[in-house]
Amino acid sequence: MSGTTRRLTTAQALLAFLSRQYTARSGAEQRLITATWGIFGHGNVAGIGQALLEPGSDMPYHQGRNEQAMVHAAVGYARQSGRLSAHAVTTSIGPGATNLVTGAALATVNHLPVLLLPGDVFASRPADPVLQQLEVPYAGDVSVNDCLRPVSRYFDRITRPEALIPAALAAMSVLADPARTGAVTLALPQDVQAEAYDWPEEFFRRRVWHVRAQEPDPAELDEAAELLRTARRPLVVAGGGVHHARAEDVLRRFAERTGIPVASTQAGKGSLPYDHPCDVGGIGHTGTATADALAREADVVLGVGTRWTDFTTASSTLFQNSFVRFIGLNVNGADAHKLGALQLVTDARAGLDALAKALGEHRVAPAYPTAYGKAKAAWEERVTAAYAPGDEDARPTQAQVLGALDTLVTGDDILINAAGSLPGDLHKLWRTRSRDQYHVEYGYSCMGYEIPAAIGVALAAPGRPVWALVGDGTYLMNPTEIVTAVQENLPIKVVILQNHGYASIGGLSASVGGERYGTAYRFKAPDGTYTGEPLPVDLAANAASLGMAVLRPKTVRDLREALAAARAADRPTCVYVETETADTVSGPPPAQAWWDVPVAETATRSSAVEAREEYDRQVAARRRHL
């Protein structure tokens, strides 16, 4: 190590360090931390804030309006960047820091990298307590930032400048590791941020973190290949790991060679384009009839890069073949073993390539692709029917909104969604044209994710049309980053579907005997009863007040024109459309698999009693795959 040093504050040193970190995969290098989001207050304004102004900091800065939303924007950027590049997020101490928790949980659940740099209370404790300090009687070293520990893949509090060196290196190793990545938190006491230290020059050297593409173990590979070779009705379930490993082409060749159909999770949708003969659509509670029927009869299921959430597995009722076996192909051993699977711990690209070679010329019996091809064609007819415009002068249904968008987009467009009834409709109906067109965050399904994530995606994919699809409930959770899109002049397109309530939870409530209680926006009369009229809120006016251009189509005909205008716009644009209810003739097909939502075991209202009877019938088919 060189004996030369550089005298900098801790905050200055951290930014200088971050600007010299790179990832590499397949020989291509890119900067790991490409920008920092920030909202400044006491706790970071004199530390990170000042350091960003220093000459040579080489760290672009984005100003956010809400701390949770800044993390969502960073996560959208990281996902669009294939987890090879990420953003940092800095906040003040107190509420600024605790607002990070939801975004951190979303990042960690979805295995997406983001670096969190919350301010913290004084390490030296010159005054105790200081503003916004949490006093814990039994622990003097606890601050509000400790609530980030369970939602972080790595956490450290930097109480001395020199402690930054090992912590920063550990943080980078986690961010760049596909098996461990997620939210990484370095809590920075405000006095330590501003404290100067003589840093070894070696700390600032250019470092390249190689993203591993682990090869499969030969014994595991042979066993997996033999299991697939003997299967009569095998099925591939493609998860987000296919996209993260850039394994789409390898998966396509694998499917074409073997004839094995490919279903997809929410994170894996688009692993094959919708019109590929082997693509059978989404799987699970929000899946297609084609994929779910294949899952019920499958004897071997190869899960590639999926962590098997309950929507995917339909609460362990979907895979009904009594002899079904699972193969878990995943970079993360903890995910690879789920459902009692034969583990194949490997990168999706490397693993699929190795499996294809091990299988040689093996191919399923010709009758199998013929059968699922017919089922796929029948499902496409149902999609076309749901998309059909019907009366051009009528108010559109939610499915017809998707249909109008479907006729407009190309493979360049990117659709973002996270919560409400839209994820189900999109998973069942959307015709994905490119590997990264479908961006639905369903691991945490966080309301308010879409608009800030669209900003992050637009920063990662400049020039491509980026659509944030939001219901009225989701919009009300987190509209503030519209101001950021306006400030950064990012021409995102926000489609607000107004159905005057929480349609998704309302439908779920009705199905479990809750009678849609507390899921609609209605006037409260003086006598305490609620009227049938929706509240007179104007979300379009709200979006306009935050700086967006707003279009208000009233009919199916108007909608197509508005969407086309929004796509061509060079400024942030909102399309606000009031939709008909989903149970009209052109609504989407119902759920194709059961989802376990416990129903009251005792109740007096008939709706709940009937719902419990249905629950008992469905739960009898639940099983554990061991």
Side-chain angles (χ1 to χ4, degrees), residues 478-564:
N478 205 359
T480 54
E481 294 314 304
I482 286 174
V483 177
T484 301
V486 171
Q487 177 173 305
E488 300 280 344
N489 196 27
L490 295 170
I492 64 171
K493 299 91 175 59
V494 176
V495 180
I496 303 175
L497 294 97
Q498 171 66 281
N499 53 36
H500 299 286
Y502 300 100
S504 173
I505 295 301
L508 178 62
S509 172
S511 71
V512 297
E515 302 178 32
R516 297 182 180 266
Y517 181 73
T519 62
Y521 309 140
R522 296 290 184 261
F523 279 118
K524 189 173 185 179
D527 63 359
T529 61
Y530 287 89
T531 72
E533 295 299 315
L535 292 176
V537 296
D538 190 341
L539 302 185
N542 178 260
S545 75
L546 297 176
M548 294 198 97
V550 176
L551 305 171
R552 294 174 177 256
K554 301 293 185 183
T555 66
V556 173
R557 192 191 316 277
D558 297 341
L559 175 64
R560 284 198 299 272
E561 296 174 0
L563 291 173

Side-chain angles (χ1 to χ4, degrees), residues 304-347:
V304 183
T306 175
R307 58 191 184 88
W308 293 115
T309 62
D310 67 338
F311 264 82
T312 307
T313 55
S315 301
S316 298
T317 59
L318 182 57
F319 301 99
Q320 286 295 307
N321 189 317
S322 58
F323 300 105
V324 66
R325 292 287 306 279
F326 294 86
I327 302 170
L329 193 162
N330 204 297
V331 294
N332 190 315
D335 289 329
H337 91 279
K338 291 175 179 174
L339 300 182
L342 165 64
Q343 296 184 70
L344 195 58
V345 182
T346 178
D347 168 85

